[in-house]
Amino acid sequence: MGLPSKNWRLRNQRYRLVGEICEKCGTPIFPPRDVCPECEGPAQTPYVFSGRGEVYSYSTVYHPPAEFERYAPYTVALVRLEEGPMLTAQLTDVAPEEVYIGMPVEMVTRQLQTEGDEGVIAYGYKFRPLIR
Amino acid sequence: METRLLRTDREVGIIGYGAYIPRYRLPATEVARIWTGGEGETPVTEKAVAGPDEDVVTISIEAARNALARAGNVDPALIRAVWVGSESHPYAVKPTSTILAEAIGATPYVQAGDWEFACKAGTEALQAAIGFVGSGMGRYALAVGADTAQARPGDALEYTAASGGAAYLVGPAEEALAVVEGSLSYVTDTPDFWRRAYQHYPSHGGRFTGEPAYFKHIAEAARALMEALGTTPADYDYAVFHQPNVKFPQTVARQLGFKPEQIGAGLLADRIGNTYAGSSLIGLTAILDGARPDQRILLVSFGSGAGSDAISLRTTEAIRERQGRAPATQDYIARRTVIDYGLYVRFRGKLRV
């Protein structure tokens, strides 16, 4: 039963990319960690990222863990957000062969996984090619 | 006559609107290939199908983000109601609306609720939002109609049961891109279509679906609203009706005295199918995408069981600058990946392994 509590705890960052910004040097931080990785200053001010970025690197998964079989094959990418931080996320609404390094992407909120037919549905960020 | 109207204490309107239509399309020829040997006419060309990680929550979130983007700098914390109308909420018990409210940053001081009335659950939420803002309970309210409609494999509804949604931020008229001129609701107990608890697929009452259900409710609601407002079909630049297929809205429009060019912009069923609670509301987003200031729009939904909500709108100068702030409905329709029946069966969970 780790999924409901973890997703609940992380809902602000997972649903709408809420990170933090360093009060000393102004570096935007994601995921939030309360301390600036650049200057080690305190960073507890919430900061909402735009959701736009580009694919830094990627890999396609053909043999996923059981809870992700529904989405296979899918591509996982390192996404560089336009504000600077890099994060790992699944790409969606895109065929594996359409993905390339530098591809502009935007954040969408999608199902991440479900606990069978009876458990909770976890939602969170994925990235897809820009709509326009 | 005036007493039939749903009256507000103050003028309200639409501040922002947004559509969402999934990327995948199932051509009707694929359904016919599997079930009729490819013979026979189909009610639409193709329908929009949600991907494996999509549901009414995710559709509502994207439509709502588009509505908020168009609204501009409305602080989500000022939204006092977040309401989602659907017949395919992902949970039987646990609201869609709280997840949506959290995702757009509207929590925690907000009224949240899920609405249900077959294909008119979305306009029901919109009408309630008009009343909520119109009474002064809140400055802004968000209403969404969205569905991932399911049809029994091989049923006639499988050609059309589609996925998509639209969201509307309702607020004071002085901030609106379209002002609500008036609205009313017309309902009766009619057994045209239903789904019992714990059933995956709906049932429909054959002969009830057309004349005593769709046509009667839409026509009565439209006529009563125009009578109360003193308008005629000629006063409207656009009209949009619930669209379970292409023929029904064309026919009811003709019966009421609307011309084909008045319903063209909002008639999307041929390309996306019937998005149920999203149907007439996505038609309206497509109209708003292309409308000019000071144009009049009539919207009439239909939900089985049965009822219609009719709403008369007039666009304002503010529509110009807001149209381009989010993807247009046609941008989503143009984003299109065709799938075959096999992939459709997998995406929609019809295959149990």
Side-chain angles (χ1 to χ4, degrees), chain B residues 239-252:
Chain B
V240 57
F241 305 100
H242 175 56
Q243 32 202 282
N245 50 41
V246 180
K247 275 185 188 160
F248 274 29
Q250 287 174 333
T251 304
V252 81

Side-chain angles (χ1 to χ4, degrees), chain B residues 11-337:
Chain B
E11 275 211 298
V12 304
I14 295 166
I15 312 297
Y17 67 91
Y20 178 74
I21 300 162
R23 178 194 190 203
Y24 302 102
R25 299 288 178 277
L26 180 69
T29 52
E30 272 297 287
V31 180
R33 180 174 70 87
I34 300 298
W35 294 105
T36 71
E39 298 297 317
E41 273 192 51
T42 61
V44 296
T45 300
E46 58 191 19
K47 68 170 181 176
V49 178
D53 61 359
E54 296 187 284
D55 60 23
V56 163
V57 166
T58 67
I59 289 170
S60 300
I61 289 172
E62 182 151 349
R65 285 186 178 141
N66 286 335
L68 288 170
R70 285 209 172 81
N73 44 14
V74 168
D75 179 358
L78 294 178
I79 300 173
R80 285 289 164 271
V82 173
W83 289 331
V84 183
S86 179
E87 61 129 61
S88 37
H89 293 289
Y91 290 93
V93 178
K94 186 179 185 303
T96 299
S97 50
T98 53
I99 309 171
L100 171 61
E102 196 86 63
I104 61 171
T107 51
Y109 296 103
V110 58
Q111 224 290 335
D114 291 1
W115 297 69
E116 190 268 340
F117 194 144
C119 293
K120 91 164 182 75
T123 56
E124 186 178 42
L126 176 58
Q127 217 165 40
I130 290 167
F132 190 85
V133 174
S135 74
M137 283 182 77
R139 187 169 183 85
Y140 303 107
L142 181 75
V144 181
D147 261 306
T148 55
Q150 291 278 14
R152 188 184 306 280
D155 190 287
L157 294 176
E158 193 172 33
Y159 290 103
T160 53
S163 304
Y168 291 86
L169 186 68
V170 176
E174 58 270 23
E175 296 173 32
L177 60 86
V179 173
V180 176
E181 295 186 306
S183 81
L184 57 73
S185 197
Y186 179 93
V187 307
T188 68
D189 175 5
T190 303
D192 59 322
F193 172 99
W194 60 86
R195 178 164 60 84
R196 296 278 301 277
Y198 308 114
Q199 299 301 304
H200 284 296
Y201 300 116
S203 307
H204 40 98
R207 68 195 182 88
F208 275 104
T209 56
E211 211 47 56
Y214 181 90
F215 292 104
K216 180 180 172 62
H217 291 79
I218 288 189
E220 294 288 348
R223 287 197 185 107
L225 181 62
M226 287 190 284
E227 192 180 325
L229 296 176
T231 57
T232 68
D235 294 322
Y236 289 91
D237 297 279
Y238 302 99
V240 57
F241 305 100
H242 175 56
Q243 32 202 282
N245 50 41
V246 180
K247 275 185 188 160
F248 274 29
Q250 287 174 333
T251 304
V252 81
R254 192 169 57 242
Q255 287 172 355
L256 285 165
F258 288 93
K259 298 191 171 72
E261 53 268 32
Q262 288 169 290
I263 63 167
L267 185 48
L268 310 175
D270 191 48
R271 294 289 158 196
I272 65 171
N274 178 6
T275 53
Y276 283 50
S279 177
S280 55
L281 291 180
I282 299 177
L284 179 60
T285 63
I287 288 170
L288 292 171
D289 284 337
R292 297 189 306 276
D294 203 30
Q295 288 194 314
R296 225 177 205 156
I297 305 164
L298 176 70
L299 174 143
V300 190
S301 64
F302 172 73
S304 291
S308 287
D309 299 324
I311 302 174
S312 182
L313 298 162
R314 187 188 280 277
T315 56
T316 72
E317 199 57 43
I319 196 169
R320 287 186 199 276
E321 56 166 7
R322 293 187 205 173
Q323 285 165 329
R325 288 178 182 170
T329 311
Q330 292 293 347
D331 291 336
Y332 284 108
I333 294 175
R335 184 186 74 133
R336 173 179 168 277
T337 301

Side-chain angles (χ1 to χ4, degrees), chain A residues 11-12 15-16 68-73 90-95 98 106-112 117-123 126 128-132, chain B residues 20 22-24 51-55 57-59 61-62 65 90-91 94 98-99 102-105 323-328 331-332 335 337 346-347 352:
Chain A
R11 67 191 187 283
N12 283 333
Y15 288 4
R16 50 192 193 101
F68 298 107
E69 277 173 357
R70 255 172 1 116
Y71 315 121
Q90 201 175 308
L91 301 183
T92 188
D93 287 359
V94 65
E98 294 169 348
E106 60 189 346
M107 187 273 278
V108 290
T109 309
R110 294 290 175 90
Q111 286 186 7
L112 295 181
D117 286 339
E118 294 186 9
V120 297
I121 304 166
Y123 296 94
K126 294 186 183 180
R128 66 147 184 237
L130 294 182
I131 283 275
R132 56 166 195 177
Chain B
Y20 178 74
R23 178 194 190 203
Y24 302 102
D53 61 359
E54 296 187 284
D55 60 23
V57 166
T58 67
I59 289 170
I61 289 172
E62 182 151 349
R65 285 186 178 141
Y91 290 93
K94 186 179 185 303
T98 53
I99 309 171
E102 196 86 63
I104 61 171
Q323 285 165 329
R325 288 178 182 170
D331 291 336
Y332 284 108
R335 184 186 74 133
T337 301
R346 184 185 161 193
F347 280 3
R352 311 295 285 188

